[in-house]
Amino acid sequence: MTLTAEITGWGKCMPPNVLSNHDLEQIVDTSDEWITTRTGIKERRISHVEASELAAVACHRALAAAGKTPEDVDLLLVATCSGDSIIPSTASVVQKHLQAWNAAAMDLNAACSGFVYGLEVGTNMIKSGAYKTVLVVGTEKLHHLIDFTDRTTCVLFGDGAGAVVLEPTEGPAGVLASDLGMDGSVGHILEVPVDGTAGDRGPIDPRLSGISMEGQEVFRRAVTKMGESSALALEKAGLSLEDVDLLIPHQANIRIIDATARRLGVDESKVYVNIHSYGNTSAATIPVALTEALEEGRIQPGDIVVFTAFGGGLTWASSVVRWGDRVTPLGESDVELPPPDRDTMELLQPNFDFFGRPEKQA
Ligand code: UT7
């Protein structure tokens, strides 16, 4: 038996405000029919709080599920590309919300692959013997980066957070193997052009502060890489595709998910999908989907679960997990978000003011 990490707690935090396809029809020249057939998305959530607060609630829930307290955490990894600030890190703010004063904490930006990257980092920190209770959280307030004058991106993204607790185990359950990758040569095909120190100071075109994407090119690469990377991670784990009980892919587009499953030869009954409810929440999609899969009884003790993701960078990441004996939480947290003081359209008003009024709001 070798030391690895087991997922012993899980939790999510989805902000309550909903932005439906029908709401989007009132903002831009789009239709429920186009969005549903091209992406699988029906609605997404718009957060009234920062990514750190979403993360903290998801972490409280994951810790309760593992029977742990914030004081038990010795490492906190926050995967995000829409965090509160660069300094302090979002991890610093999450630590403060949680009062997890014994935790080392840092941000990790691998965009939509961030949670799976975090899972691999956390697992290896546990394997080193130096850390015993690791929180990995994917959290996003992506709507802040959305230009609603661009109908090709504004229908895709949403906000939310999901977290897991990792603890040491000598198996047979645990994170068995992973595959991580990056192709920086094509980083520009999915970017927020002006959101860092590169570039000139002074007045900038606000539209360069939003997400821009060559959708078809990202689509093509996502299908290829998620397939290849899942197969590689399974091979490293000494397993084959027939061993997979549940594939939990990054939720960016139902057509990417279906094409990836087809490429791999995994039956759709073994693929977890919740994109219709939340859209693409980047680093949060996989831990949120994992939490819902457990809540719905889709994971049984000993199951082989595969996570696979693709995103900005361009990054990709896959992980193979053998689930442990426990598929129900040990406890529940009573921590909740504060109720929203604005409706969804009011929350989007700053975007309209900054990026420019979308055609139907002009
Ligand atoms: O998380 C990882 C990163 N993101 C992704 O993985 C996303 C990858 N890409 C995609 O999911 C898809 O490429 C999109 C959903 C972004 C776009 O779907 P598509 O099937 O590739 O559409 P398209 O870009 O080829 O556009 C087809 C048509 C165009 O009209 P014309 O030129 O054929 O007249 C677009 O202008 O659809 C039009 N269109 C829309 N129509 C209504 C684009 N966006 C919309 C919209 N509503 N929201």
Side-chain angles (χ1 to χ4, degrees):
M1 298 279 187
T2 49
L3 185 66
T4 186
E6 180 177 351
I7 297 175
T8 57
W10 50 88
K12 68 175 200 255
C13 176
M14 303 312 289
N17 283 90
V18 171
L19 178 67
S20 70
N21 291 351
H22 296 293
D23 296 331
L24 280 163
E25 287 174 346
Q26 311 308 311
I27 300 175
V28 280
D29 182 16
T30 193
S31 64
D32 173 50
E33 199 267 336
W34 191 96
I35 304 170
T36 306
T37 54
R38 296 286 180 134
T39 72
I41 302 166
K42 291 303 253 182
E43 56 186 45
R44 63 292 288 141
R45 301 294 175 92
I46 301 296
S47 182
H48 61 295
V49 297
E50 300 305 323
S52 60
E53 256 183 284
L54 297 173
V57 174
C59 287
H60 273 298
R61 292 173 180 166
L63 285 167
K68 296 278 177 189
T69 66
E71 298 84 68
D72 295 323
V73 180
D74 48 18
L75 179 63
L76 165 65
L77 299 171
V78 179
T80 186
C81 59
S82 54
D84 305 19
S85 57
I86 294 178
I87 301 176
S89 65
T90 304
S92 159
V93 190
V94 178
Q95 189 221 34
K96 186 175 68 178
H97 287 316
L98 286 174
Q99 302 192 15
W101 306 124
N102 300 318
M106 62 179 165
D107 287 1
L108 191 159
N109 181 357
C112 303
S113 308
F115 173 77
V116 185
Y117 263 69
L119 196 65
E120 174 69 344
V121 172
T123 298
N124 282 287
M125 294 298 237
I126 282 179
K127 279 182 171 176
S128 77
Y131 295 90
K132 297 219 160 10
T133 307
V134 178
L135 259 174
V136 184
V137 55
T139 187
E140 304 286 4
K141 186 188 171 187
L142 285 172
H143 91 258
H144 186 77
L145 301 174
I146 301 302
D147 173 359
F148 284 88
T149 67
D150 177 5
R151 70 173 181 172
T152 68
T153 54
C154 75
V155 302
L156 302 175
F157 299 99
D159 305 333
V164 299
V165 175
L166 297 176
E167 292 183 71
T169 176
E170 292 195 340
V175 180
L176 303 181
S178 298
D179 172 66
L180 309 184
M182 162 78 88
D183 183 357
S185 72
V186 280
H188 61 278
I189 70 174
L190 170 45
E191 64 176 348
V192 178
V194 180
D195 194 25
T197 58
D200 297 332
R201 292 203 183 269
I204 50 144
D205 179 352
R207 289 182 191 191
L208 297 177
S209 302
I211 294 178
S212 90
M213 178 169 65
E214 292 177 30
Q216 286 187 1
E217 194 52 31
V218 175
F219 187 111
R220 195 179 62 73
R221 288 168 189 269
V223 173
T224 310
K225 280 298 174 192
M226 280 162 69
E228 281 176 10
S229 171
S230 309
L232 256 169
L234 277 163
E235 194 184 314
K236 285 188 201 169
L239 296 170
S240 68
L241 286 159
E242 292 74 59
D243 297 313
V244 176
D245 295 296
L246 191 66
L247 177 68
I248 303 186
H250 171 49
Q251 313 278 313
N253 187 319
I254 188 67
R255 293 183 296 133
I256 295 178
I257 294 171
D258 289 346
T260 303
R262 262 199 314 276
R263 253 179 113 90
L264 287 168
V266 174
D267 189 78
E268 65 175 34
S269 63
K270 293 183 172 181
V271 182
Y272 192 80
V273 175
N274 65 358
I275 190 171
H276 45 277
S277 307
Y278 307 127
N280 182 348
T281 57
S282 192
T285 65
I286 289 179
V288 169
L290 171 67
T291 299
E292 296 198 341
L294 284 153
E295 286 166 356
E296 293 164 20
R298 294 281 301 272
I299 296 176
Q300 299 305 315
D303 273 2
I304 297 295
V305 181
V306 175
F307 306 126
T308 187
F310 187 86
L314 298 172
T315 50
W316 56 89
S318 302
S319 244
V320 180
V321 173
R322 189 189 303 278
W323 204 262
D325 292 334
R326 192 164 51 76
V327 290
T328 51
L330 284 176
E332 279 180 22
S333 165
D334 56 9
V335 175
E336 298 281 350
L337 289 178
D341 56 356
R342 283 161 293 166
D343 67 24
T344 303
M345 283 300 174
E346 287 168 337
L347 288 172
L348 296 181
Q349 197 57 48
N351 291 56
F352 303 160
D353 294 341
F354 178 73
F355 289 107
R357 268 167 217 293
E359 48 207 341
K360 295 191 178 169
Q361 295 286 308

